[in-house]
């Protein structure tokens, strides 16, 4: 069955952190049976030896959501960030 002909309760575009967590949370709903998560890029299933350099700051409300979904232990803090410098084309700012 093609995606165009299938019936879904909800379609989520983007399997990044927000889309994936939204799909996970909604999949636990008793009212939604069919959830489609669409991602533009093919997943890279190879484990990299290069650490991911992206930084995420998680506030208390987001932490509660991650804990309630049972995913926080796999992404918990790996270190403390003491300084952040953000660059743009013309300038930079320190936090």
């Amino acid at each position: 069955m093609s995606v165009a002909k299938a019936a879904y309760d909800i379609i989520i575009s983007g399997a990044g952190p927000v889309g994936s967590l939204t799909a996970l949370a909604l999949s636990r709903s008793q009212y939604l049976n069919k959830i489609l998560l669409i991602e533009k890029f093919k997943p890279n299933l190879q484990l990299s030896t290069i650490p991911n350099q992206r930084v995420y700051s998680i506030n208390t409300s987001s932490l509660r959501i991650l804990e309630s979904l049972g995913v926080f232990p796999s992404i918990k803090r790996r270190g403390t960030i003491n300084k952040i410098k953000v660059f743009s084309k013309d300038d930079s700012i320190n936090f």
Side-chain angles (χ1 to χ4, degrees):
M1 180 185 311
S2 73
V3 174
K5 293 182 181 179
Y8 294 94
D9 296 317
I10 191 163
I11 298 172
I12 301 167
S13 177
V18 174
S20 295
L21 287 171
T22 300
L24 177 62
L26 291 174
S27 73
R28 297 180 180 179
S29 168
Q30 63 183 358
Y31 303 107
L32 300 173
N33 296 315
K34 290 187 171 186
I35 299 168
L36 178 63
L37 178 60
I38 299 172
E39 175 54 50
K40 179 179 180 179
F41 302 103
K42 290 182 181 179
N44 181 0
L45 302 178
Q46 300 291 327
L47 293 177
S48 174
T49 58
I50 301 169
N52 186 325
Q53 298 297 314
R54 286 183 271 184
V55 175
Y56 294 94
S57 176
I58 301 170
N59 63 29
T60 305
S61 297
S62 297
L63 174 61
R64 287 187 191 126
I65 292 168
L66 294 169
E67 288 175 331
S68 72
L69 293 172
V71 297
F72 185 69
S74 65
I75 62 167
K76 65 184 175 184
R77 181 174 34 184
R78 304 285 186 220
T80 301
I81 299 168
N82 297 315
K83 280 199 259 182
I84 296 177
K85 188 168 191 172
V86 178
F87 295 90
S88 71
K89 183 172 73 170
D90 303 318
D91 203 358
S92 67
I93 187 170
N94 292 300
F95 295 95

